[in-house]
Amino acid sequence: MTEQTTEGAVDVVPEQPRVTIAQVARLAGVSPTTVSHVLSGKRIVGATTRVAVQDAVRTLGYRPNHVARSLRTRRSQMVAVIVPDLTKPYYSVLTRGLADATVGAAYGTYVCNTDGSAERETGFLQNVLDRGVDGIVLASVDAVSAAAISAADFGTPVVCIGGSIDHPRVDVVTIDEPAGSRAATLHLIGRGAERIGMIQGPPESGLLRVEGFFKAMAEAGRSVDESLLAKGDWTRQGGRDAMTALMGLAAPPDAVFCANDLMAIGAIDVARELGLRVPADVAIVGFDDVDAATIVTPALTTVRNPAYETGRKAGELLLSRLRGEYRETGRTVVLDCPLVLRESA
C-alpha cells in the first residue's frame, strides 16, 4: 500500500485557453477580419457592427496577443517620449496629451526623463531604438538634436517638441513664443507700466521669449533698461532670487514679465514679503499657464503654453506616419499661445 499525503502540496490551477478573434467573431456574428478592423481602428466599420464586436470582446474577456502581433507586423505598438524633466508641469501634461492621442490606436508609451542631460538623452534614444519602438517624441535639450536626426536616419519617425530640424522623417510641434511674450509685454505697457523688467531663463535658454519682450518694447518706442533684466533658472526659487535683486535696485521695476510661471510665482512671493501690492505696486506676468497659476494669490496673468495640445498633436503626427497616411517631408506645426488675463497684471 502506498501512503499518500497532501502535506506541502500546491494546488495548480490549469491555465485557461486564450480567447481567439475567431471566437469573438462567432459571438458577434461577423468575420474575423471585421473584428480585426474594429480592434485596430484602421478601417471604418458601421456603428452597429462595432458595438456588437465590442460587446463580444467584453463578454469573452478577449485580450490581444501583442507579442504575436509584433512578430507578425514587426511593430512593437510602443512609442517613446523623451523629456528633460517630468516633474515640471509642462512635460507631465504634454505626456498626457501624447498618451491620449495614441492609446486609442493601441499604442503604449515609454516615458524617459533626461534631467536635461544631452548624454542621457542620447542614451535613452539608443535604448528605445534597441527596444524597437515604432516612433519617438523628443523634447530635446538641444535646439537641433543630432541624436534625433540619427534616429530618423535609422528609419524611425520622430516628432520634436520645439527646435527646428530639417529631415524628411522628423516633424516638429512648436508654439509661437515670440508672439506670446510680445502680447504679455504690450499688456504691461498698455496698463501704464513705466519701468518694465524681465526675469529670463538661464543663459542661451528661452531666447524666443526674450525676443518677444524686446520686440514689444521696440514697437512701443521703449528702450530696454539692462539693469531690469535678471536671470532665473525656471524654478520658483530662481524667480525669488531674481525678483529680490530687481526690487533691491535704487529704481526698481513697476512691472515684471517672467519667462515662466514658476519664476513668476517666486516673484509674487517676494513682492508679498516686501509689503508690495500686486498689481498696484508691481504687476507680474508669467508664461506657461500651469495649474498653479490659478491657485496663487493673486491669480497669475500669464501666456498659455498649450502643453496638452502639443503632446496630442505630436501623437497625431506620429500616428499619421505609422499608419502610412503621410510619407512626405517633415512638417512643422505652430500652435498659438494666447495671453490669459487674471489678477496679477
Side-chain angles (χ1 to χ4, degrees):
M1 178 180 296
T2 302
E3 184 177 349
Q4 295 183 342
T5 177
T6 59
E7 185 178 351
V10 177
D11 291 334
V12 177
V13 179
E15 183 178 350
Q16 296 299 313
R18 180 182 288 272
V19 176
T20 66
I21 281 183
Q23 290 173 298
V24 173
R26 281 197 295 272
L27 181 59
V30 299
S31 70
T33 300
T34 299
V35 174
S36 295
H37 291 337
V38 172
L39 295 176
S40 68
K42 293 180 179 179
R43 300 286 181 86
I44 297 175
V45 177
T48 302
T49 300
R50 185 173 65 253
V51 170
V53 170
Q54 291 168 341
D55 287 345
V57 166
R58 283 191 291 270
T59 300
L60 296 175
Y62 172 77
R63 297 179 61 190
N65 187 336
H66 293 296
V67 173
R69 180 168 62 183
S70 66
L71 290 173
R72 183 175 66 254
T73 64
R74 297 185 179 181
R75 290 282 183 89
S76 66
Q77 293 301 121
M78 295 294 296
V79 297
V81 55
I82 303 175
V83 299
D85 188 352
L86 196 58
T87 64
K88 284 191 169 68
Y90 173 79
Y91 292 115
S92 59
V93 175
L94 182 150
T95 300
R96 173 61 186 271
L98 170 67
D100 284 355
T102 56
V103 69
Y107 277 89
T109 306
Y110 286 122
V111 181
C112 308
N113 186 83
T114 68
D115 289 328
S117 164
E119 183 178 354
R120 283 173 63 88
E121 178 182 298
T122 300
F124 275 130
L125 276 164
Q126 187 57 58
N127 181 271
V128 297
L129 288 173
D130 290 345
R131 291 175 180 270
V133 296
D134 298 330
I136 297 170
V137 173
L138 174 66
S140 179
V141 297
D142 297 319
V144 179
S145 171
I149 294 173
S150 176
D153 286 340
F154 185 78
T156 303
V158 176
V159 179
C160 281
I161 305 302
S164 177
I165 296 179
D166 184 14
H167 191 286
R169 278 188 295 274
V170 178
D171 297 316
V172 174
V173 181
T174 188
I175 62 169
D176 196 347
E177 291 180 280
S181 295
R182 173 181 172 274
T185 308
L186 288 176
H187 173 68
L188 292 173
I189 293 170
R191 70 186 312 277
E194 295 293 335
R195 292 180 56 76
I196 302 176
M198 180 178 183
I199 298 179
Q200 304 171 355
E204 304 305 317
S205 180
L207 297 182
L208 293 178
R209 301 184 185 190
V210 175
E211 175 188 315
F213 172 79
F214 274 79
K215 183 175 182 179
M217 294 289 279
E219 285 181 14
R222 300 281 193 95
S223 59
V224 175
D225 185 340
E226 296 288 336
S227 71
L228 298 181
L229 303 180
K231 296 288 186 184
D233 62 358
W234 302 123
T235 68
R236 185 172 185 170
Q237 184 59 48
R240 287 179 59 91
D241 294 342
M243 188 66 167
T244 298
L246 289 176
M247 302 313 294
L249 296 172
D254 58 359
V256 179
F257 170 51
C258 302
N260 81 339
D261 286 348
L262 292 181
M263 294 192 297
I265 292 171
I268 289 175
D269 292 340
V270 171
R272 183 184 300 113
E273 291 165 7
L274 292 175
L276 299 173
R277 298 166 298 163
V278 179
D281 298 321
V282 58
I284 298 173
V285 177
F287 197 117
D288 281 338
D289 197 22
V290 299
D291 287 343
T294 61
I295 300 172
V296 68
T297 303
L300 184 64
T301 292
T302 185
V303 177
R304 182 169 180 266
N305 187 348
Y308 181 86
E309 291 82 356
T310 298
R312 189 169 188 90
K313 176 55 68 174
E316 291 170 356
L317 293 176
L318 207 56
L319 286 176
S320 70
R321 288 189 181 272
L322 294 175
R323 290 168 169 165
E325 298 167 354
Y326 185 85
R327 296 186 178 91
E328 305 303 320
T329 189
R331 298 162 287 183
T332 296
V333 176
V334 181
L335 301 178
D336 292 332
C337 42
L339 182 65
V340 181
L341 297 177
R342 295 196 180 100
E343 299 168 358
S344 68

